[in-house]
Amino acid sequence: MSVVRGAAVEGAWSLPAPMEPTAAADGPQVSEVDSFRRQVDDLLSKTDVLEKRVNEVVGFYNNKKHSSGGRKAGGRYAANGARDSHGNGMPDLMRQFAGIIRQITSHEWAQPFLQPVDVVGLQLDDYHQIITKPMDFSTIRNKMEGKESTTYNSVREIYSDVRLVFTNAMKYNAVGHPVHIMAKFLLERFEEKWLHLLPKVENEEREHEEPNDAPTKNISPEAAIAKLAEDTGNELNEINKQLEELQKMVVQRCRKMTTDEKRKLGAGLCQLSPEDLNKALELVAQDNPSFQTTAEEVDLDMDAQSETTLWRLKFFVREALEQQANENTKRKNDMYNALAKTDSKRIKR
């Protein structure tokens, strides 16, 4: 058979393709599919939050580009790293951060996150299997006040726990669930407030790392945003890796492809556009480094391909052919409409 192309599943934000169910594995598979769905929902929620950060970074540089020389872009990122009158910069940050927490927890949607999840009362038997590190605002408050066995050493540690409260809720509750919606909303508001405080956090951390007699160096808004952009990029790369691993896990659990399905897959490959065909070849080459995609003629032995490659090809070919059919239908409709307008003009004459 002939060529194949690289799949849409290989994009930077690709999601794992759906599994082909088998009649013999209905019980365990439903649970496994639900687990995959939870993981995908969790990654999607994380990307939503990261998208907000990306927009903040882009907005900062756009404002900077259009602002006048000495003016702070948008006035949103004041690089004020000054310590309080007693030299207690970090405690001052703690107080400011406590104020942010009070604003978040006073929102009407914060109620489900104020106390630990009542796993027994709500009969959430799988909660601790999915959530490995539970967190809530009463625990955060006790740690800040020294009432827990462990306490916080920095504002960033509190920041991580606050995020954990909401990401746990989004991970356990599916997209569309009221608790997921509330958690996502409050997390976005919290991230916005954190961005305002971040430059000062960077300044205080820098000062604590330097010797007492070292000159004070304030972090500029540009430096704080550059650090935010770098951290966001690293998190995006990590999410992309998780998506790729999840995709492989899903495809590996698909059943073995039948001979008839392989024949239909080969026929589908022959119907692809040249561009899609090249992408399919690239997809095959990913699991077969020795496979030559640049030759003028390529023979593709379906029986020699792994089940992972075959199923990825099937999902890709199906999507590509559906897209081609939609485009062909649109072109036909456009052509019919153009002919109809031409006939209408002739009749009027």
Side-chain angles (χ1 to χ4, degrees), residues 1-37:
M1 268 167 217
S2 12
V3 256
V4 200
R5 85 135 174 179
V9 295
E10 293 306 307
W13 292 102
S14 60
L15 292 178
M19 289 177 24
E20 285 275 326
T22 59
D26 287 341
Q29 191 176 13
V30 170
S31 175
E32 190 172 40
V33 170
D34 186 58
S35 173
F36 285 134
R37 186 177 294 114

Side-chain angles (χ1 to χ4, degrees), residues 60-61 64 71 73 77 79 219-228:
F60 175 85
Y61 285 112
K64 189 175 187 304
R71 189 175 125 201
Y77 300 94
I219 303 296
S220 68
E222 290 80 1
I225 287 295
K227 180 67 165 58
L228 179 65

Side-chain angles (χ1 to χ4, degrees), residues 88-334:
N88 298 320
M90 200 58 76
D92 181 54
L93 279 179
M94 288 287 192
R95 286 193 293 272
Q96 293 183 50
F97 199 86
I100 292 176
I101 292 179
R102 282 194 297 273
Q103 293 177 43
I104 296 297
T105 55
S106 63
H107 193 280
E108 59 181 344
W109 282 5
Q111 187 62 37
F113 316 109
L114 299 182
Q115 300 295 329
V117 174
D118 185 5
V119 176
V120 177
L122 297 174
Q123 298 182 343
L124 307 177
D125 299 332
D126 61 347
Y127 186 81
H128 290 296
Q129 298 174 12
I130 298 170
I131 304 302
T132 57
K133 185 183 177 183
M135 185 54 59
D136 65 278
F137 281 105
S138 68
T139 300
I140 292 174
R141 183 177 63 254
N142 289 337
K143 289 178 70 174
M144 291 179 68
E145 295 174 357
K147 297 179 181 178
E148 294 281 329
S149 57
T150 59
T151 58
Y152 294 117
N153 295 315
S154 69
V155 173
R156 284 191 185 274
E157 291 182 3
I158 313 176
Y159 164 76
S160 296
D161 274 356
V162 173
R163 290 194 78 251
L164 188 62
V165 172
F166 299 125
T167 55
N168 280 349
M170 291 188 289
K171 182 177 182 179
Y172 187 79
N173 299 279
V175 173
H177 189 283
V179 174
H180 185 110
I181 293 172
M182 291 188 288
K184 181 180 177 181
F185 172 84
L186 292 174
L187 177 58
E188 291 175 351
R189 298 300 177 275
F190 171 68
E191 290 282 8
E192 290 175 0
K193 295 179 183 299
W194 168 254
L195 285 173
H196 291 299
L197 190 62
L198 183 58
K200 190 169 183 179
V201 173
E202 298 277 0
N203 284 335
E204 294 297 339
E205 290 174 341
R206 176 71 64 85
E207 289 184 11
H208 277 71
E209 291 173 359
E210 293 173 346
N212 293 333
D213 57 349
T216 300
K217 296 180 181 178
N218 285 345
I219 303 296
S220 68
E222 290 80 1
I225 287 295
K227 180 67 165 58
L228 179 65
E230 180 183 0
D231 292 343
T232 302
N234 292 336
E235 290 186 53
L236 288 173
N237 289 335
E238 183 60 31
I239 288 178
N240 196 42
K241 291 178 182 177
Q242 293 178 38
L243 280 172
E244 290 176 356
E245 290 301 317
L246 188 57
Q247 184 183 74
K248 291 178 182 177
M249 291 171 59
V250 172
V251 175
Q252 287 171 358
R253 282 160 177 73
C254 291
R255 60 175 172 76
K256 188 174 181 179
M257 188 175 288
T258 65
T259 302
D260 186 54
E261 286 174 322
K262 292 179 183 178
R263 180 186 59 78
K264 291 179 180 178
L265 175 57
L269 289 169
C270 295
Q271 299 175 39
L272 294 178
S273 66
E275 180 184 355
D276 285 341
L277 199 54
N278 287 334
K279 291 179 180 179
L281 284 174
E282 293 169 2
L283 185 60
V284 175
Q286 289 176 4
D287 289 334
N288 302 275
S290 60
F291 185 75
Q292 298 296 321
T293 62
T294 56
E296 292 185 5
E297 293 185 5
V298 178
D299 291 327
L300 181 61
D301 184 359
M302 291 296 182
D303 293 329
Q305 305 306 314
S306 67
E307 291 298 322
T308 299
T309 298
L310 291 174
W311 281 107
R312 293 172 76 184
L313 280 175
K314 178 176 179 177
F315 294 133
F316 172 71
V317 170
R318 181 173 62 189
E319 181 180 340
L321 292 178
E322 287 177 355
Q323 187 173 354
Q324 285 181 199
N326 292 336
E327 291 174 354
N328 290 337
T329 300
K330 184 178 183 300
R331 278 195 293 267
K332 287 180 181 179
N333 290 338
D334 291 342

Side-chain angles (χ1 to χ4, degrees), residues 25-95:
D26 287 341
Q29 191 176 13
V30 170
S31 175
E32 190 172 40
V33 170
D34 186 58
S35 173
F36 285 134
R37 186 177 294 114
R38 286 181 185 275
Q39 293 180 63
V40 172
D41 288 344
D42 181 42
L43 292 175
L44 285 174
S45 298
K46 289 180 180 178
T47 59
D48 287 341
V49 173
L50 292 179
E51 184 179 13
K52 296 275 291 183
R53 292 194 200 171
V54 170
N55 291 337
E56 289 282 352
V57 172
V58 172
F60 175 85
Y61 285 112
N62 284 342
N63 289 337
K64 189 175 187 304
K65 184 189 301 183
H66 297 99
S67 64
S68 58
R71 189 175 125 201
K72 294 183 178 70
R76 299 192 61 183
Y77 300 94
N80 178 15
R83 306 167 74 86
D84 64 19
S85 58
H86 302 289
N88 298 320
M90 200 58 76
D92 181 54
L93 279 179
M94 288 287 192
R95 286 193 293 272

